[in-house]
Amino acid sequence: MTSWSLLSEYFALILIVVIMLFFYDSKQVHSARRRLFWNCLLLSVASILLNIASVHAIENIGRVSVEVNKALNSAYFLVSVLMSTAITYYIFQRLLEFVYDKRCLQRARLALWLVLGVYTGLILWNLYSGVIFYFDQAGNYCRGPLNAAGFLAPVLEVGLVLVCYFRNRKSVGRAMVRIMWTVPPIVVLLVLYQVAYPEQLLNGTISALANLIIFISFQSSRIERDPLTGINNRRSFMEELTLRMAGRQNYQVILVALKQFARVNQVYGHSSGDAILFQVAGALQQFSAGGRIFRYNSVEFLLLIPGSDEKEREERLEQVLSCMRREWPLGESHVAVPFCAAELTYSGQDCTPEQIISYLEYCVRLGKEDGRELVRFDGETAQRHRRREYLIRTMQAAVRDGRFQVWYQPVYHRDTGSFDSAEALIRLSDEQGQPISPAEFIPVAEENGLIDALSWIVLEGVCRLLGSGTVPELKTVSINLSMQQFLRKDLTERIEDMLRKYGVAPERLKLEITERVLADNSQLARQTMEKMSRRHLEFLLDDFGTGYSNFSSVLGLPFEAVKLDRSLMAGLTNDPRSRLMADTIIPFFHKLGQQVVAEGIESREQAELALRCGADRIQGFYYARPMPESELAEWYRSRKKAAEHT
Ligand code: C2E
Ligand code: MG
Ligand code: MG
C-alpha cells in the first residue's frame, strides 16, 4: 500500500492560515478582487484539509468505506483544481489590470472554464471508469492511467498565463512581473518533483507558495495605498499611467483639487478635515467604474478611466462636477468645499507620463488663478503650457549664463526738480534677442521658484551700481519684491549682507511691494515691514489702483510712498472722474505722511496734471524709458547739459 508523507501539507496549512490572518482587515474596502483572493485562500485550506482527510481515510480503509474514500478523493481532486483555477484567474486579473482590451480577460476566463469543465467531467467519469484513481479489491488506492491530469491542469493554466504575459508585457505592473518570474517556475518544478516522488504530497505547498508570493507582492503592499482614504496613492497612479501609455491606451484623467482646505481644517479641526477627504474619496469612487481613483496629493484626487467614448467621458465629467458641488455632511452641519477640476484625454499622443502630470497641474493652476471650476487640457491650454515651459527653460538658461539684465527708469522728484531715484526693472531676451516682458515671465518665475534667483540678480546689480558711484545723481533705487521673496525669513539679513558687500547705506535702497503681498499675509507682512523699517529699509506700495486696492492695507503700514498705477493715471487728461480721484486720494496719502508717485506718465499734459494734483514724483516714458545700466550715466549727463542750456 502506498504511504504518503503529510508533513509538508500540515506546514502549508499553517502558512496559509498565517496569510489569512495577515490579510484579514475589517477596515479595508472589500473589493471584488480582495474577495477573490480571500476565496483562493479558503479553497487552498479546503484542498489541503481534503487531502489530509483522504490520506487518513485511505490509511484506515478497513474502518472507512470505499465509497467514502472515493467521495473524499474526488472532492479533493476537484477542489484542488478549483483552487488552482481561482489563483490563476486572480493572476489573470492582475496581469491584465492595465490592459484596456478586455477581450484578453474574456478569453482567459473561457479557457479556464474549459479546463475546469473538462477536469470536472474527468472526475465524474472517474467514479465509473477509475481513469484517475480507483480502489482495488483489497481496498488499496491505485492510480489510473490519467492520474497526472490533476497536475496537468495547473501546468496548463501556467502556460496560459505565460502566453498572456508575453503578449501584454508592456502594460504589466512591476509586482506582476515579479510574480511571473517566480510563481510559474516554482509551480512547474514542484509539479515535476511531485510526479517523480508521488509519496511526497506537495499540492498544499504549491498553493501556499503561490498565495504567499501574491500576498507579498500585492496584498501586503501598503506602499501603494493612501492610509487615510484607503484608495490608491500617487505612486500607484504613476505606475498605472506609465503602463497605460506604454500600451498606447486611450484614457481620460480627471483631477479634482480641493481649494482653501486649510480653512476647513482651521475652522472645523483636522479630524473633520480628514472626514471630508474620506467622503470625497468615497464619492468619487462611484465614477471610477472600469478605472481607478487615486489620492494624488493631500487635497487632490485623480480618476483614471480607460476608454475613448466621448459621450461617456462628457457624462462622467459632468457627474463628477455635480458631485463635487454638493455639501459634505459634518456632524450636524454641512460644508461646501470649493474645488477646481482638470480634465485631459489621452489618445496615444507622443508624450511622457511626467508631461501628463505637468499638464494636469498646469490646468489646476489656471483654474485656481481664474476661479474656474473646470479647465480642460485643450489646444489653447496646450499652447499656453508650451509657452510657459519655454519661458522656464529660457529663464533657467539665462540664470545659468548670466543673461538677465537690470535696467533703470529714472523718477522725477518735484521738490528737488531732479531725477533723484530710479526703479530697477529686470530684462530678459529670448534666444533670438527678442525682449520678453517681465509682466509675462515674472508670474511664471514666481510659480516655479525661479523668482528667488532673479530677485537676487536685481538686488546685486542695484547694490553694485549704487556702490560704484558711477551715477552720483542717483540717490535711491527701488527694487520690486515678489511675494515669495518678501515672505523669506532671512530677507532682511540677505539684503543687509548685500548692501554691506557693496558699501551701500540701507536708506538708498527702497523696496516695492504690491497689495497682493499684503492681502494674503497681512500679519506677517506687517511684522516684516516693521522690522525692516527699523533697519532703515523703506517700502513703496506699488501698483495702487489695480484691482487689489484696499485702503485698509495702506493704513498703518510704514510705507514711505504710494505708487499710483498707470491705469489710474491714464484718464487724467480726458476723464473728469480720474481727475477727481487723483485730487482726492493724493491729499489723503499726504495726510497719512506718505508721498505719492504717479506711474506711467507718457505726456507733458499728464505730467503737469499729476503735479497739479499734488503728485510728489513722476515716473513714466515722458521723462525716461527704462534703460540699461550702461546708458544711465550718459542719460544723466545729457539731462544735466540740457538743464544748463535752458
Ligand atoms: P512695475 O513695478 O509697476 O513697473 C513699472 C512698469 O511700467 C515697467 O514695466 C515699466 O517699463 C512700465 N512703465 C513705466 N513707465 C511707463 C509709461 O509711461 N508707459 C507705459 N506703458 N509703461 C510704463 P516692465 O518693466 O515691463 O515691468 C512690468 C512689471 O514686472 C513691473 O511692474 C513689476 O511688477 C514686474 N517686474 C519688473 N522687474 C521686476 C523685478 O526685478 N522683480 C519683480 N519681482 N518684479 C519685476
Ligand atoms: Mg514696481
Ligand atoms: Mg507699478
Side-chain angles (χ1 to χ4, degrees), residues 542-543 565 599:
D542 200 0
D543 298 348
D565 189 67
E599 273 194 286

Side-chain angles (χ1 to χ4, degrees), residues 423-425 478-481 512-514 540-543 563 599 619:
E423 177 174 6
L425 296 158
S478 60
I479 61 168
N480 293 282
L481 281 190
E512 295 192 13
I513 55 168
T514 60
L540 302 175
L541 179 64
D542 200 0
D543 298 348
K563 299 182 80 172
E599 273 194 286
Q619 177 179 353

Side-chain angles (χ1 to χ4, degrees), residues 223-457:
I223 295 173
E224 312 237 310
R225 295 211 159 254
D226 166 49
L228 174 71
T229 57
I231 59 173
N232 309 292
N233 61 13
R234 177 218 268 287
R235 180 192 158 108
S236 52
F237 171 72
M238 282 312 290
E239 183 183 13
E240 177 163 350
L241 190 66
T242 310
L243 294 169
R244 290 209 184 273
M245 289 176 78
R248 299 246 165 211
Q249 299 170 31
N250 298 344
Y251 60 80
Q252 175 189 35
V253 196
I254 304 172
L255 195 161
V256 176
L258 305 182
K259 295 198 293 191
Q260 299 154 27
F261 205 72
R263 265 181 63 83
V264 175
N265 281 331
Q266 252 169 32
V267 176
Y268 301 95
H270 281 264
S271 51
S272 300
D274 285 355
I276 292 182
L277 291 175
F278 192 81
Q279 288 185 56
V280 171
L284 290 176
Q285 181 108 46
Q286 60 181 306
F287 307 112
S288 64
R292 289 209 293 170
I293 172 174
F294 304 83
R295 186 167 175 211
Y296 180 66
N297 262 335
S298 52
V299 291
E300 289 184 348
F301 296 88
L302 267 166
L303 285 164
L304 176 65
I305 294 123
S308 52
D309 185 329
E310 203 177 327
K311 196 164 157 266
E312 264 178 32
R313 283 201 307 241
E314 284 305 309
E315 277 173 11
R316 188 179 302 118
L317 184 61
E318 200 33 64
Q319 284 166 351
V320 168
L321 295 181
S322 66
C323 161
M324 291 305 300
R325 285 182 203 124
R326 77 163 77 144
E327 295 193 334
W328 306 96
L330 203 60
E332 300 286 280
S333 54
H334 282 77
V335 184
V337 181
F339 70 96
C340 165
E343 193 235 16
L344 178 150
T345 53
Y346 176 83
S347 39
Q349 297 93 325
D350 233 352
C351 63
T352 63
E354 286 71 25
Q355 276 171 312
I356 297 284
I357 298 285
S358 125
Y359 296 158
L360 287 165
E361 285 175 348
Y362 179 64
C363 288
V364 167
R365 191 176 299 132
L366 283 185
K368 284 185 180 166
E369 269 169 27
D370 312 347
R372 275 191 280 168
E373 194 178 67
L374 170 70
V375 179
R376 291 169 194 266
F377 191 74
D378 52 16
E380 192 202 323
T381 324
Q383 205 177 344
R384 285 175 71 179
H385 182 267
R386 267 196 300 278
R387 175 71 181 166
R388 186 177 172 276
E389 298 280 287
Y390 171 74
L391 288 175
I392 294 174
R393 277 200 310 278
T394 311
M395 283 192 280
Q396 282 166 339
V399 170
R400 198 182 51 234
D401 308 338
R403 279 199 288 112
F404 273 109
Q405 288 189 10
V406 187
W407 285 27
Y408 297 87
Q409 185 176 29
V411 178
Y412 175 77
H413 286 233
R414 178 232 276 285
D415 53 354
T416 58
S418 48
F419 294 85
D420 295 339
S421 66
E423 177 174 6
L425 296 158
I426 196 157
R427 289 291 176 264
L428 170 68
S429 301
D430 64 14
E431 280 132 23
Q432 288 75 42
Q434 288 300 311
I436 306 175
S437 162
E440 188 186 8
F441 69 77
I442 292 282
V444 178
E446 277 177 347
E447 276 163 26
N448 77 347
L450 268 167
I451 191 71
D452 200 44
L454 268 58
S455 304
W456 301 123
I457 291 174

